[in-house]
Amino acid sequence: MSFFNAVAEQFDLVLLYKNILWDGFMLTIELGLCSLMVAIVLGTFAALGSFSESRFVRGTVTAYTTIIRGIPDIVLIFLFYYGMQTLLNKTMEAMGLEIYHINPFVAGVITIGFMFGAFMAESFRGALLAVPKGQKESALALGMSPARVYFKIVIPQAMRFALPGLNNNWLVLLKATALVSLINLQDFLAIAVKSGQSTRAPFTFLITVAIGYLLLTTVSIIVVKWLEKRFSKGVVRGAFYE
């Protein structure tokens, strides 16, 4: 019983910090969702740009996806937050303006969204290629504009193929949000670490963080499975039923 009493005492400490831990947990969710929206927008435009007739646009997209996927996440976090802050300060000083401090939350959203936009672009590009070419060609033959073809015909069908990759990227993105604790943003992990240090029970608080992230990823997987069924309605062995 002494072991179970000790465990109960450890988790009683977590309950004492439940309010600030909850705030950190909600901030992590907000950070993840905002970053996901940025990544989806960038990934969509980059994927569409990879099919552009312009060599400049295709080259820009290739450079973006290649460079970003080749640099570690933590390097990009530091590069944007501290590097951009230094560059901004020097620019503001040169112009005689007051120094502006980059908000850690904004920095986290932009950096994580920018990073995972490159991964989303590859997933979306593969999904677009998976849509039969005849779908696009038939719509164009009927007089639909290229933009209307993509947004009304191609993209809705590509969603079914994009969801598995989107799910994987979202799960990795969600875990990557823990990196923002390194730029002084009080997210779930940062609060748990400080709480663990102050109570001398770091293991208990880190276990709590692990459970929180596991809960988020589990719910995410369930939601994506539902979306996959939703977008797969009327589809059997690649054939679409009307």
Side-chain angles (χ1 to χ4, degrees):
M1 290 297 295
S2 59
F3 170 77
F4 293 105
N5 288 336
V7 172
E9 289 178 2
Q10 291 289 306
F11 281 96
D12 282 341
L13 294 174
V14 174
L15 293 177
L16 291 176
Y17 289 83
K18 63 180 183 297
N19 290 331
I20 59 173
L21 286 171
W22 177 255
D23 290 339
F25 184 67
M26 295 305 296
L27 181 63
T28 293
I29 295 175
E30 185 179 353
L31 176 65
L33 291 176
C34 290
S35 300
L36 178 65
M37 287 189 288
V38 172
I40 288 176
V41 171
L42 287 176
T44 300
F45 280 104
L48 294 175
S50 67
F51 297 102
S52 173
E53 296 180 358
S54 170
R55 294 180 61 183
F56 174 77
V57 173
R58 295 198 308 271
T60 301
V61 170
T62 301
Y64 165 58
T65 56
T66 301
I67 293 173
I68 295 302
R69 289 187 299 159
I71 301 176
D73 297 351
I74 191 172
V75 174
L76 288 172
I77 289 282
F78 285 148
L79 183 63
F80 181 84
Y81 184 68
Y82 294 110
M84 289 297 293
Q85 183 69 70
T86 301
L87 180 62
L88 181 62
N89 289 346
K90 290 183 177 180
T91 303
M92 300 294 277
E93 288 177 356
M95 297 175 63
L97 301 175
E98 185 178 351
I99 293 176
Y100 177 80
H101 294 283
I102 298 176
N103 184 288
F105 181 84
V106 174
V109 168
I110 294 176
T111 307
I112 295 174
F114 194 72
M115 288 189 301
F116 282 88
F119 293 96
M120 294 288 188
E122 292 302 312
S123 296
F124 293 162
R125 183 176 184 276
L128 291 172
L129 288 173
V131 177
K133 291 183 179 180
Q135 299 283 336
K136 177 181 176 181
E137 293 172 353
S138 298
L140 289 172
L142 292 173
M144 295 180 68
S145 65
R148 189 174 179 81
V149 169
Y150 268 107
F151 288 100
K152 293 292 185 179
I153 305 295
V154 179
I155 292 179
Q157 294 185 50
M159 279 299 300
R160 183 168 63 92
F161 302 106
L163 279 173
L166 178 63
N167 182 39
N168 290 333
N169 286 319
W170 160 245
L171 295 179
V172 178
L173 182 153
L174 189 59
K175 293 185 289 184
T177 57
L179 292 173
V180 299
S181 61
L182 300 174
I183 57 174
N184 302 319
L185 184 63
Q186 299 304 302
D187 71 325
F188 194 29
L189 177 61
I191 292 174
V193 169
K194 291 182 179 179
S195 301
Q197 291 173 343
S198 63
T199 58
R200 296 183 179 180
F203 180 77
T204 305
F205 282 91
L206 289 177
I207 284 294
T208 302
V209 171
I211 293 173
Y213 274 99
L214 183 60
L215 176 63
L216 289 176
T217 54
T218 301
V219 171
S220 299
I221 291 172
I222 294 173
V223 171
V224 171
K225 290 294 183 183
W226 177 82
L227 288 174
E228 287 180 349
K229 291 182 179 179
R230 174 68 179 80
F231 281 98
S232 295
K233 283 185 176 180
V235 180
V236 178
R237 296 180 181 178
F240 288 79
Y241 287 137
E242 296 182 357

